[in-house]
Amino acid sequence: MQENIYAEEYSEIIKNITASGKKYYIFTIGCQLNENDSEKIAGILSALGCIKSESAERSDIIIYNTCAVRENAEKKVFGHLGKLKKLKEDNPKLILGLCGCMMNQPASVEKVRNKYKHVDIIFGTQNIHLLPEILFKHISENKRVFDVQNTQEIIREGLPVIHEDDLKAWVTVIYGCNNYCTYCIVPYVRGKERSRKTQDILKEIRELSDKGYKEITLLGQNVNSYGKDLEEHTDFAELLYNINEIQGIERIRFMTSHPKDISEKLISVIKDCRKVCKHLHLPLQSGSTKVLSAMNRHYTGEQYLDITDRVRTKIPDISLTTDIIVGFPGETDRDFADTLAIMKSVRFDSAFTFKYSKRTGTPAARMQEQIPSEIIDRRFLELLEVQNKISREKNEEMIGSVVEVLVEGISKKNPLYLTGRSEGNKVVNFPGDTGFRGRILPVKINRVQTWSLEGNLIKTGERSN
Ligand code: SAH
Ligand code: SF4
Ligand code: F3S
């Protein structure tokens, strides 16, 4: 198995320098791509003989996987680094590492180099595979090791992975982003789009299926770009079609899709493939065509509405979710009203809403007419209120209907209830036996909240819809 090949290559040298048996703790900030990278870091550490720890305080290695998408995410890291200084003072042998998107920004690396001297190792988003050498160098030479160069842009297949869950797994299918939305730092820290070969993805998913995984989520900053850079003639719709054929996998999710790249073929594949969940996360960002153009999004408000209409015509029960940014430079009350109008017209099942955050190095950071924070705060609250009402109403419409739920385990809020997600990705809680974990069962909805649904299991044959 590939996991062992990797381990063999490195474990001996690392064991010799006593990384073996060390307890590690990984703290992840950011999106699912980062979560998936953390699973690979866990895989590498464990292949080196390290043991996962449940607490940072009792660990020998602490790795922070960072995010640079908004200022808050960055502040969080520096806040934590301050606190970790104490841990390092108490235990000078503690190895403190930083990786992730912030570490692909030279200014952040320099700040850590000069001001946070208790950080021992740093590696960039494309250098995860170098972790064994980096650790080796740090331990054997007793010096700080910063390895953030990312010029190669090679996809590293076969890294060991320790998945957080044993039912649902993330599978990154395309790295990087070519879109350069003017507000966004991601293309600068994650590099250009690189698709994995279809055969590598299918192999990984078949192995997940063999291990008993039921659901996989395909990840990428823009999954619809999948295949454009490959020699093989393929696209994202083909990939979904192929994964749908894999025995054992029961659900396929994917995110994120860019509206400019939604094809009729893709809509048909979502409709026709039984295992592909009827859920589309389609970031709108703004409802104003003027703002969308300044964002470099390549669609108008009308075109967005046309896409969602076409999707709903073909797949009436599809769940639609989105991302919205308020307060992009130059956004007027009128532009914001356009966003609210599209929200009310599409009626998303849910939305991630963000206050615009200025990212140094992006074109939007240099734009005139940055919006004052009071106005951003006001618009943000109004947007939230509108969306929360819609989310709740959409959930209320589901009362009496039956949804298929992949049972994940006992509900954290109520130990008498099980919890899982519907095909549309809504949390569903219901009374039931813990032995149902891992099964997909029909639940009739009888109560709802803004963020979740509640119901009862029904027996097959009892269905009304
Ligand atoms: N590739 C995805 C997601 C990128 S990051 C996409 O294109 O939609 C997730 C979300 O963060 C984005 O959809 C956007 O809504 C938000 N975001 C990105 N940069 C931001 C910024 N500078 N300020 C506020 N929100 C931002
Ligand atoms: Fe950022 Fe736009 Fe790429 Fe998404 S598509 S990661 S928002 S540049
Ligand atoms: Fe953040 Fe990097 Fe994801 S910037 S949102 S962790 S790709």
PDB file of all heavy atoms in Angstrom, residues 31 69-70 177 179 181 183-186 220-222 256-258 281-283 285 297 323-326 352 354-359 362, ligand 1:
ATOM      1  N   CYS A  31     -10.960  26.561   5.006  1.00  0.00           N
ATOM      2  CA  CYS A  31     -11.976  25.791   4.283  1.00  0.00           C
ATOM      3  C   CYS A  31     -11.674  24.288   4.315  1.00  0.00           C
ATOM      4  O   CYS A  31     -10.673  23.847   4.871  1.00  0.00           O
ATOM      5  CB  CYS A  31     -12.045  26.277   2.848  1.00  0.00           C
ATOM      6  SG  CYS A  31     -10.507  26.021   1.941  1.00  0.00           S
ATOM      7  N   VAL A  69      -7.916  33.933   3.972  1.00  0.00           N
ATOM      8  CA  VAL A  69      -8.988  34.486   3.137  1.00  0.00           C
ATOM      9  C   VAL A  69      -9.582  35.791   3.686  1.00  0.00           C
ATOM     10  O   VAL A  69      -9.961  36.671   2.926  1.00  0.00           O
ATOM     11  CB  VAL A  69     -10.081  33.409   2.859  1.00  0.00           C
ATOM     12  CG1 VAL A  69     -11.048  33.240   4.013  1.00  0.00           C
ATOM     13  CG2 VAL A  69     -10.812  33.703   1.577  1.00  0.00           C
ATOM     14  N   ARG A  70      -9.648  35.909   5.008  1.00  0.00           N
ATOM     15  CA  ARG A  70     -10.120  37.163   5.618  1.00  0.00           C
ATOM     16  C   ARG A  70      -9.213  37.525   6.788  1.00  0.00           C
ATOM     17  O   ARG A  70      -8.534  36.671   7.351  1.00  0.00           O
ATOM     18  CB  ARG A  70     -11.574  37.007   6.115  1.00  0.00           C
ATOM     19  CG  ARG A  70     -12.607  37.103   5.009  1.00  0.00           C
ATOM     20  CD  ARG A  70     -13.981  36.720   5.483  1.00  0.00           C
ATOM     21  NE  ARG A  70     -14.040  35.296   5.795  1.00  0.00           N
ATOM     22  CZ  ARG A  70     -14.277  34.344   4.911  1.00  0.00           C
ATOM     23  NH1 ARG A  70     -14.520  34.641   3.657  1.00  0.00           N
ATOM     24  NH2 ARG A  70     -14.280  33.079   5.264  1.00  0.00           N
ATOM     25  N   CYS A 177      -6.432  27.983  -8.128  1.00  0.00           N
ATOM     26  CA  CYS A 177      -7.544  28.719  -8.751  1.00  0.00           C
ATOM     27  C   CYS A 177      -6.976  29.702  -9.765  1.00  0.00           C
ATOM     28  O   CYS A 177      -5.989  30.374  -9.498  1.00  0.00           O
ATOM     29  CB  CYS A 177      -8.332  29.461  -7.683  1.00  0.00           C
ATOM     30  SG  CYS A 177      -9.717  30.370  -8.385  1.00  0.00           S
ATOM     31  N   ASN A 179      -9.071  32.023 -11.230  1.00  0.00           N
ATOM     32  CA  ASN A 179     -10.123  33.013 -11.499  1.00  0.00           C
ATOM     33  C   ASN A 179      -9.786  34.441 -11.097  1.00  0.00           C
ATOM     34  O   ASN A 179     -10.324  35.381 -11.660  1.00  0.00           O
ATOM     35  CB  ASN A 179     -11.428  32.582 -10.825  1.00  0.00           C
ATOM     36  CG  ASN A 179     -12.033  31.398 -11.561  1.00  0.00           C
ATOM     37  OD1 ASN A 179     -11.895  31.291 -12.767  1.00  0.00           O
ATOM     38  ND2 ASN A 179     -12.647  30.502 -10.827  1.00  0.00           N
ATOM     39  N   CYS A 181     -10.699  36.476  -8.709  1.00  0.00           N
ATOM     40  CA  CYS A 181     -11.738  37.417  -8.272  1.00  0.00           C
ATOM     41  C   CYS A 181     -10.971  38.523  -7.536  1.00  0.00           C
ATOM     42  O   CYS A 181     -10.023  38.214  -6.779  1.00  0.00           O
ATOM     43  CB  CYS A 181     -12.725  36.728  -7.337  1.00  0.00           C
ATOM     44  SG  CYS A 181     -13.509  35.298  -8.126  1.00  0.00           S
ATOM     45  N   TYR A 183     -11.206  40.423  -5.067  1.00  0.00           N
ATOM     46  CA  TYR A 183     -11.127  40.534  -3.604  1.00  0.00           C
ATOM     47  C   TYR A 183     -10.316  39.398  -2.987  1.00  0.00           C
ATOM     48  O   TYR A 183      -9.984  39.429  -1.805  1.00  0.00           O
ATOM     49  CB  TYR A 183     -12.549  40.489  -2.983  1.00  0.00           C
ATOM     50  CG  TYR A 183     -13.358  39.327  -3.511  1.00  0.00           C
ATOM     51  CD1 TYR A 183     -13.216  38.053  -2.983  1.00  0.00           C
ATOM     52  CD2 TYR A 183     -14.258  39.493  -4.572  1.00  0.00           C
ATOM     53  CE1 TYR A 183     -13.915  36.985  -3.493  1.00  0.00           C
ATOM     54  CE2 TYR A 183     -14.967  38.428  -5.089  1.00  0.00           C
ATOM     55  CZ  TYR A 183     -14.795  37.176  -4.542  1.00  0.00           C
ATOM     56  OH  TYR A 183     -15.475  36.107  -5.060  1.00  0.00           O
ATOM     57  N   CYS A 184     -10.006  38.364  -3.777  1.00  0.00           N
ATOM     58  CA  CYS A 184      -9.636  37.066  -3.184  1.00  0.00           C
ATOM     59  C   CYS A 184      -8.130  36.782  -3.208  1.00  0.00           C
ATOM     60  O   CYS A 184      -7.460  36.948  -4.226  1.00  0.00           O
ATOM     61  CB  CYS A 184     -10.384  35.965  -3.919  1.00  0.00           C
ATOM     62  SG  CYS A 184     -10.136  34.345  -3.189  1.00  0.00           S
ATOM     63  N   ILE A 185      -7.625  36.284  -2.120  1.00  0.00           N
ATOM     64  CA  ILE A 185      -6.200  35.995  -1.966  1.00  0.00           C
ATOM     65  C   ILE A 185      -5.851  34.568  -2.436  1.00  0.00           C
ATOM     66  O   ILE A 185      -4.688  34.245  -2.682  1.00  0.00           O
ATOM     67  CB  ILE A 185      -5.770  36.205  -0.480  1.00  0.00           C
ATOM     68  CG1 ILE A 185      -4.255  36.364  -0.340  1.00  0.00           C
ATOM     69  CG2 ILE A 185      -6.272  35.095   0.419  1.00  0.00           C
ATOM     70  CD1 ILE A 185      -3.705  37.665  -0.777  1.00  0.00           C
ATOM     71  N   VAL A 186      -6.887  33.729  -2.554  1.00  0.00           N
ATOM     72  CA  VAL A 186      -6.631  32.297  -2.783  1.00  0.00           C
ATOM     73  C   VAL A 186      -5.705  31.998  -3.980  1.00  0.00           C
ATOM     74  O   VAL A 186      -4.747  31.236  -3.833  1.00  0.00           O
ATOM     75  CB  VAL A 186      -7.964  31.501  -2.891  1.00  0.00           C
ATOM     76  CG1 VAL A 186      -7.723  30.066  -3.359  1.00  0.00           C
ATOM     77  CG2 VAL A 186      -8.677  31.501  -1.544  1.00  0.00           C
ATOM     78  N   GLY A 220     -12.540  21.557  -4.418  1.00  0.00           N
ATOM     79  CA  GLY A 220     -11.705  22.411  -5.267  1.00  0.00           C
ATOM     80  C   GLY A 220     -12.243  23.823  -5.157  1.00  0.00           C
ATOM     81  O   GLY A 220     -13.417  24.006  -4.832  1.00  0.00           O
ATOM     82  N   GLN A 221     -11.395  24.816  -5.407  1.00  0.00           N
ATOM     83  CA  GLN A 221     -11.891  26.194  -5.371  1.00  0.00           C
ATOM     84  C   GLN A 221     -12.914  26.411  -6.470  1.00  0.00           C
ATOM     85  O   GLN A 221     -13.813  27.227  -6.345  1.00  0.00           O
ATOM     86  CB  GLN A 221     -10.741  27.191  -5.504  1.00  0.00           C
ATOM     87  CG  GLN A 221      -9.826  27.230  -4.314  1.00  0.00           C
ATOM     88  CD  GLN A 221     -10.543  27.633  -3.049  1.00  0.00           C
ATOM     89  OE1 GLN A 221     -11.685  28.065  -3.060  1.00  0.00           O
ATOM     90  NE2 GLN A 221      -9.867  27.491  -1.926  1.00  0.00           N
ATOM     91  N   ASN A 222     -12.745  25.701  -7.566  1.00  0.00           N
ATOM     92  CA  ASN A 222     -13.739  25.751  -8.632  1.00  0.00           C
ATOM     93  C   ASN A 222     -13.761  24.381  -9.288  1.00  0.00           C
ATOM     94  O   ASN A 222     -13.050  24.124 -10.253  1.00  0.00           O
ATOM     95  CB  ASN A 222     -13.367  26.849  -9.638  1.00  0.00           C
ATOM     96  CG  ASN A 222     -14.350  26.908 -10.793  1.00  0.00           C
ATOM     97  OD1 ASN A 222     -15.408  26.276 -10.746  1.00  0.00           O
ATOM     98  ND2 ASN A 222     -14.000  27.633 -11.824  1.00  0.00           N
ATOM     99  N   THR A 256     -16.292  23.906  -4.595  1.00  0.00           N
ATOM    100  CA  THR A 256     -17.316  24.892  -4.895  1.00  0.00           C
ATOM    101  C   THR A 256     -17.493  25.010  -6.403  1.00  0.00           C
ATOM    102  O   THR A 256     -16.541  24.818  -7.151  1.00  0.00           O
ATOM    103  CB  THR A 256     -16.878  26.254  -4.343  1.00  0.00           C
ATOM    104  OG1 THR A 256     -16.712  26.161  -2.932  1.00  0.00           O
ATOM    105  CG2 THR A 256     -17.870  27.329  -4.619  1.00  0.00           C
ATOM    106  N   SER A 257     -18.682  25.395  -6.846  1.00  0.00           N
ATOM    107  CA  SER A 257     -18.932  25.567  -8.271  1.00  0.00           C
ATOM    108  C   SER A 257     -18.962  27.056  -8.588  1.00  0.00           C
ATOM    109  O   SER A 257     -19.506  27.841  -7.820  1.00  0.00           O
ATOM    110  CB  SER A 257     -20.297  24.986  -8.627  1.00  0.00           C
ATOM    111  OG  SER A 257     -20.350  23.630  -8.297  1.00  0.00           O
ATOM    112  N   HIS A 258     -18.384  27.415  -9.718  1.00  0.00           N
ATOM    113  CA  HIS A 258     -18.421  28.815 -10.138  1.00  0.00           C
ATOM    114  C   HIS A 258     -19.543  28.976 -11.167  1.00  0.00           C
ATOM    115  O   HIS A 258     -19.602  28.221 -12.141  1.00  0.00           O
ATOM    116  CB  HIS A 258     -17.074  29.198 -10.755  1.00  0.00           C
ATOM    117  CG  HIS A 258     -16.876  30.669 -10.897  1.00  0.00           C
ATOM    118  ND1 HIS A 258     -17.733  31.461 -11.623  1.00  0.00           N
ATOM    119  CD2 HIS A 258     -15.934  31.502 -10.391  1.00  0.00           C
ATOM    120  CE1 HIS A 258     -17.309  32.728 -11.559  1.00  0.00           C
ATOM    121  NE2 HIS A 258     -16.224  32.769 -10.810  1.00  0.00           N
ATOM    122  N   HIS A 281     -23.889  24.211  -4.316  1.00  0.00           N
ATOM    123  CA  HIS A 281     -23.382  25.411  -3.625  1.00  0.00           C
ATOM    124  C   HIS A 281     -22.822  26.321  -4.712  1.00  0.00           C
ATOM    125  O   HIS A 281     -21.828  25.995  -5.358  1.00  0.00           O
ATOM    126  CB  HIS A 281     -22.308  25.025  -2.611  1.00  0.00           C
ATOM    127  CG  HIS A 281     -21.818  26.206  -1.837  1.00  0.00           C
ATOM    128  ND1 HIS A 281     -22.632  26.896  -0.963  1.00  0.00           N
ATOM    129  CD2 HIS A 281     -20.636  26.858  -1.844  1.00  0.00           C
ATOM    130  CE1 HIS A 281     -21.952  27.911  -0.445  1.00  0.00           C
ATOM    131  NE2 HIS A 281     -20.744  27.911  -0.972  1.00  0.00           N
ATOM    132  N   LEU A 282     -23.487  27.442  -4.933  1.00  0.00           N
ATOM    133  CA  LEU A 282     -23.175  28.302  -6.080  1.00  0.00           C
ATOM    134  C   LEU A 282     -23.001  29.750  -5.613  1.00  0.00           C
ATOM    135  O   LEU A 282     -23.973  30.516  -5.545  1.00  0.00           O
ATOM    136  CB  LEU A 282     -24.344  28.192  -7.083  1.00  0.00           C
ATOM    137  CG  LEU A 282     -24.086  28.688  -8.488  1.00  0.00           C
ATOM    138  CD1 LEU A 282     -23.012  27.876  -9.186  1.00  0.00           C
ATOM    139  CD2 LEU A 282     -25.381  28.651  -9.296  1.00  0.00           C
ATOM    140  N   PRO A 283     -21.764  30.119  -5.264  1.00  0.00           N
ATOM    141  CA  PRO A 283     -21.563  31.467  -4.714  1.00  0.00           C
ATOM    142  C   PRO A 283     -22.012  32.575  -5.669  1.00  0.00           C
ATOM    143  O   PRO A 283     -21.616  32.613  -6.827  1.00  0.00           O
ATOM    144  CB  PRO A 283     -20.048  31.520  -4.480  1.00  0.00           C
ATOM    145  CG  PRO A 283     -19.679  30.102  -4.239  1.00  0.00           C
ATOM    146  CD  PRO A 283     -20.541  29.322  -5.199  1.00  0.00           C
ATOM    147  N   GLN A 285     -21.941  35.965  -4.511  1.00  0.00           N
ATOM    148  CA  GLN A 285     -21.023  37.054  -4.067  1.00  0.00           C
ATOM    149  C   GLN A 285     -21.713  38.410  -4.028  1.00  0.00           C
ATOM    150  O   GLN A 285     -21.647  39.108  -3.020  1.00  0.00           O
ATOM    151  CB  GLN A 285     -19.739  37.122  -4.896  1.00  0.00           C
ATOM    152  CG  GLN A 285     -18.991  35.812  -5.090  1.00  0.00           C
ATOM    153  CD  GLN A 285     -18.505  35.130  -3.826  1.00  0.00           C
ATOM    154  OE1 GLN A 285     -18.794  35.572  -2.726  1.00  0.00           O
ATOM    155  NE2 GLN A 285     -17.797  34.028  -3.950  1.00  0.00           N
ATOM    156  N   ARG A 297     -16.162  38.509 -11.786  1.00  0.00           N
ATOM    157  CA  ARG A 297     -16.852  37.227 -11.640  1.00  0.00           C
ATOM    158  C   ARG A 297     -17.358  36.653 -12.971  1.00  0.00           C
ATOM    159  O   ARG A 297     -17.818  35.504 -13.020  1.00  0.00           O
ATOM    160  CB  ARG A 297     -18.021  37.361 -10.648  1.00  0.00           C
ATOM    161  CG  ARG A 297     -17.608  37.561  -9.205  1.00  0.00           C
ATOM    162  CD  ARG A 297     -17.005  36.321  -8.588  1.00  0.00           C
ATOM    163  NE  ARG A 297     -17.972  35.259  -8.364  1.00  0.00           N
ATOM    164  CZ  ARG A 297     -17.650  34.066  -7.861  1.00  0.00           C
ATOM    165  NH1 ARG A 297     -16.401  33.792  -7.545  1.00  0.00           N
ATOM    166  NH2 ARG A 297     -18.579  33.155  -7.682  1.00  0.00           N
ATOM    167  N   ASP A 323     -22.602  31.852  -1.291  1.00  0.00           N
ATOM    168  CA  ASP A 323     -21.725  32.741  -0.505  1.00  0.00           C
ATOM    169  C   ASP A 323     -21.993  34.172  -0.972  1.00  0.00           C
ATOM    170  O   ASP A 323     -22.128  34.407  -2.177  1.00  0.00           O
ATOM    171  CB  ASP A 323     -20.241  32.476  -0.808  1.00  0.00           C
ATOM    172  CG  ASP A 323     -19.729  31.147  -0.289  1.00  0.00           C
ATOM    173  OD1 ASP A 323     -20.460  30.469   0.449  1.00  0.00           O
ATOM    174  OD2 ASP A 323     -18.585  30.791  -0.634  1.00  0.00           O
ATOM    175  N   ILE A 324     -22.031  35.104  -0.027  1.00  0.00           N
ATOM    176  CA  ILE A 324     -22.256  36.519  -0.367  1.00  0.00           C
ATOM    177  C   ILE A 324     -21.235  37.367   0.383  1.00  0.00           C
ATOM    178  O   ILE A 324     -20.954  37.124   1.551  1.00  0.00           O
ATOM    179  CB  ILE A 324     -23.650  36.990   0.121  1.00  0.00           C
ATOM    180  CG1 ILE A 324     -24.759  36.058  -0.362  1.00  0.00           C
ATOM    181  CG2 ILE A 324     -23.902  38.445  -0.270  1.00  0.00           C
ATOM    182  CD1 ILE A 324     -25.356  36.380  -1.669  1.00  0.00           C
ATOM    183  N   ILE A 325     -20.727  38.378  -0.308  1.00  0.00           N
ATOM    184  CA  ILE A 325     -19.838  39.351   0.347  1.00  0.00           C
ATOM    185  C   ILE A 325     -20.562  40.694   0.392  1.00  0.00           C
ATOM    186  O   ILE A 325     -21.090  41.134  -0.633  1.00  0.00           O
ATOM    187  CB  ILE A 325     -18.530  39.526  -0.446  1.00  0.00           C
ATOM    188  CG1 ILE A 325     -17.770  38.200  -0.505  1.00  0.00           C
ATOM    189  CG2 ILE A 325     -17.665  40.623   0.166  1.00  0.00           C
ATOM    190  CD1 ILE A 325     -16.514  38.244  -1.375  1.00  0.00           C
ATOM    191  N   VAL A 326     -20.613  41.312   1.563  1.00  0.00           N
ATOM    192  CA  VAL A 326     -21.172  42.679   1.613  1.00  0.00           C
ATOM    193  C   VAL A 326     -20.042  43.664   1.824  1.00  0.00           C
ATOM    194  O   VAL A 326     -19.054  43.382   2.509  1.00  0.00           O
ATOM    195  CB  VAL A 326     -22.226  42.879   2.728  1.00  0.00           C
ATOM    196  CG1 VAL A 326     -23.490  42.130   2.421  1.00  0.00           C
ATOM    197  CG2 VAL A 326     -21.695  42.532   4.089  1.00  0.00           C
ATOM    198  N   PHE A 352     -23.666  31.463   3.243  1.00  0.00           N
ATOM    199  CA  PHE A 352     -22.546  31.945   4.055  1.00  0.00           C
ATOM    200  C   PHE A 352     -22.370  33.411   3.692  1.00  0.00           C
ATOM    201  O   PHE A 352     -22.182  33.740   2.512  1.00  0.00           O
ATOM    202  CB  PHE A 352     -21.258  31.189   3.731  1.00  0.00           C
ATOM    203  CG  PHE A 352     -21.291  29.751   4.143  1.00  0.00           C
ATOM    204  CD1 PHE A 352     -21.382  28.740   3.201  1.00  0.00           C
ATOM    205  CD2 PHE A 352     -21.235  29.398   5.494  1.00  0.00           C
ATOM    206  CE1 PHE A 352     -21.419  27.411   3.581  1.00  0.00           C
ATOM    207  CE2 PHE A 352     -21.267  28.071   5.881  1.00  0.00           C
ATOM    208  CZ  PHE A 352     -21.361  27.079   4.928  1.00  0.00           C
ATOM    209  N   PHE A 354     -20.394  37.083   4.287  1.00  0.00           N
ATOM    210  CA  PHE A 354     -19.102  37.606   4.748  1.00  0.00           C
ATOM    211  C   PHE A 354     -19.046  39.115   4.608  1.00  0.00           C
ATOM    212  O   PHE A 354     -19.554  39.662   3.624  1.00  0.00           O
ATOM    213  CB  PHE A 354     -17.962  37.003   3.921  1.00  0.00           C
ATOM    214  CG  PHE A 354     -17.951  35.504   3.895  1.00  0.00           C
ATOM    215  CD1 PHE A 354     -18.384  34.812   2.775  1.00  0.00           C
ATOM    216  CD2 PHE A 354     -17.521  34.786   5.000  1.00  0.00           C
ATOM    217  CE1 PHE A 354     -18.379  33.425   2.744  1.00  0.00           C
ATOM    218  CE2 PHE A 354     -17.504  33.401   4.979  1.00  0.00           C
ATOM    219  CZ  PHE A 354     -17.935  32.717   3.851  1.00  0.00           C
ATOM    220  N   LYS A 355     -18.398  39.756   5.571  1.00  0.00           N
ATOM    221  CA  LYS A 355     -18.087  41.173   5.416  1.00  0.00           C
ATOM    222  C   LYS A 355     -16.824  41.264   4.580  1.00  0.00           C
ATOM    223  O   LYS A 355     -15.863  40.522   4.854  1.00  0.00           O
ATOM    224  CB  LYS A 355     -17.825  41.802   6.787  1.00  0.00           C
ATOM    225  CG  LYS A 355     -19.034  41.790   7.689  1.00  0.00           C
ATOM    226  CD  LYS A 355     -18.670  42.334   9.054  1.00  0.00           C
ATOM    227  CE  LYS A 355     -19.836  42.130   9.996  1.00  0.00           C
ATOM    228  NZ  LYS A 355     -19.544  42.523  11.369  1.00  0.00           N
ATOM    229  N   TYR A 356     -16.806  42.141   3.606  1.00  0.00           N
ATOM    230  CA  TYR A 356     -15.624  42.291   2.763  1.00  0.00           C
ATOM    231  C   TYR A 356     -14.396  42.557   3.644  1.00  0.00           C
ATOM    232  O   TYR A 356     -14.432  43.378   4.551  1.00  0.00           O
ATOM    233  CB  TYR A 356     -15.805  43.437   1.759  1.00  0.00           C
ATOM    234  CG  TYR A 356     -14.506  43.797   1.074  1.00  0.00           C
ATOM    235  CD1 TYR A 356     -13.930  42.941   0.145  1.00  0.00           C
ATOM    236  CD2 TYR A 356     -13.822  44.970   1.389  1.00  0.00           C
ATOM    237  CE1 TYR A 356     -12.725  43.232  -0.450  1.00  0.00           C
ATOM    238  CE2 TYR A 356     -12.606  45.280   0.801  1.00  0.00           C
ATOM    239  CZ  TYR A 356     -12.060  44.403  -0.122  1.00  0.00           C
ATOM    240  OH  TYR A 356     -10.860  44.687  -0.708  1.00  0.00           O
ATOM    241  N   SER A 357     -13.321  41.848   3.360  1.00  0.00           N
ATOM    242  CA  SER A 357     -12.088  42.008   4.115  1.00  0.00           C
ATOM    243  C   SER A 357     -10.968  42.336   3.123  1.00  0.00           C
ATOM    244  O   SER A 357     -10.768  41.620   2.131  1.00  0.00           O
ATOM    245  CB  SER A 357     -11.809  40.690   4.861  1.00  0.00           C
ATOM    246  OG  SER A 357     -10.549  40.704   5.444  1.00  0.00           O
ATOM    247  N   LYS A 358     -10.292  43.435   3.394  1.00  0.00           N
ATOM    248  CA  LYS A 358      -9.265  43.916   2.462  1.00  0.00           C
ATOM    249  C   LYS A 358      -8.031  43.023   2.519  1.00  0.00           C
ATOM    250  O   LYS A 358      -7.458  42.838   3.593  1.00  0.00           O
ATOM    251  CB  LYS A 358      -8.902  45.327   2.922  1.00  0.00           C
ATOM    252  CG  LYS A 358      -8.169  46.150   1.942  1.00  0.00           C
ATOM    253  CD  LYS A 358      -8.100  47.566   2.513  1.00  0.00           C
ATOM    254  CE  LYS A 358      -7.152  48.423   1.759  1.00  0.00           C
ATOM    255  NZ  LYS A 358      -7.127  49.792   2.277  1.00  0.00           N
ATOM    256  N   ARG A 359      -7.632  42.462   1.408  1.00  0.00           N
ATOM    257  CA  ARG A 359      -6.476  41.561   1.362  1.00  0.00           C
ATOM    258  C   ARG A 359      -5.346  42.214   0.574  1.00  0.00           C
ATOM    259  O   ARG A 359      -5.456  42.396  -0.645  1.00  0.00           O
ATOM    260  CB  ARG A 359      -6.841  40.224   0.680  1.00  0.00           C
ATOM    261  CG  ARG A 359      -8.014  39.469   1.252  1.00  0.00           C
ATOM    262  CD  ARG A 359      -7.741  38.765   2.565  1.00  0.00           C
ATOM    263  NE  ARG A 359      -7.445  39.655   3.669  1.00  0.00           N
ATOM    264  CZ  ARG A 359      -6.641  39.368   4.675  1.00  0.00           C
ATOM    265  NH1 ARG A 359      -6.044  38.221   4.726  1.00  0.00           N
ATOM    266  NH2 ARG A 359      -6.453  40.215   5.646  1.00  0.00           N
ATOM    267  N   THR A 362      -4.328  42.111  -3.454  1.00  0.00           N
ATOM    268  CA  THR A 362      -5.427  41.888  -4.406  1.00  0.00           C
ATOM    269  C   THR A 362      -5.825  43.222  -5.041  1.00  0.00           C
ATOM    270  O   THR A 362      -5.662  44.282  -4.405  1.00  0.00           O
ATOM    271  CB  THR A 362      -6.666  41.291  -3.705  1.00  0.00           C
ATOM    272  OG1 THR A 362      -7.131  42.232  -2.713  1.00  0.00           O
ATOM    273  CG2 THR A 362      -6.355  39.985  -3.014  1.00  0.00           C
TER     274      THR A 362
HETATM  275  N1  SAH B   1     -13.648  29.219  -4.536  1.00  0.00           N
HETATM  276  C1  SAH B   1     -14.819  29.437  -3.844  1.00  0.00           C
HETATM  277  C2  SAH B   1     -14.633  29.818  -2.393  1.00  0.00           C
HETATM  278  C3  SAH B   1     -13.524  30.727  -2.026  1.00  0.00           C
HETATM  279  S1  SAH B   1     -13.327  31.241  -0.379  1.00  0.00           S
HETATM  280  C4  SAH B   1     -15.647  30.410  -4.655  1.00  0.00           C
HETATM  281  O1  SAH B   1     -15.239  30.886  -5.655  1.00  0.00           O
HETATM  282  O2  SAH B   1     -16.734  30.706  -4.271  1.00  0.00           O
HETATM  283  C5  SAH B   1     -14.955  31.177   0.282  1.00  0.00           C
HETATM  284  C6  SAH B   1     -15.689  32.458   0.279  1.00  0.00           C
HETATM  285  O3  SAH B   1     -14.998  33.453   1.020  1.00  0.00           O
HETATM  286  C7  SAH B   1     -15.891  33.094  -1.079  1.00  0.00           C
HETATM  287  O4  SAH B   1     -16.919  32.503  -1.790  1.00  0.00           O
HETATM  288  C8  SAH B   1     -16.198  34.516  -0.721  1.00  0.00           C
HETATM  289  O5  SAH B   1     -17.575  34.695  -0.499  1.00  0.00           O
HETATM  290  C9  SAH B   1     -15.458  34.712   0.596  1.00  0.00           C
HETATM  291  N2  SAH B   1     -14.312  35.612   0.444  1.00  0.00           N
HETATM  292  C10 SAH B   1     -13.215  35.442  -0.323  1.00  0.00           C
HETATM  293  N3  SAH B   1     -12.397  36.497  -0.214  1.00  0.00           N
HETATM  294  C11 SAH B   1     -13.000  37.365   0.637  1.00  0.00           C
HETATM  295  C12 SAH B   1     -12.662  38.663   1.150  1.00  0.00           C
HETATM  296  N4  SAH B   1     -11.550  39.279   0.781  1.00  0.00           N
HETATM  297  N5  SAH B   1     -13.511  39.252   2.014  1.00  0.00           N
HETATM  298  C13 SAH B   1     -14.660  38.634   2.373  1.00  0.00           C
HETATM  299  N6  SAH B   1     -15.021  37.434   1.939  1.00  0.00           N
HETATM  300  C14 SAH B   1     -14.211  36.803   1.071  1.00  0.00           C
END
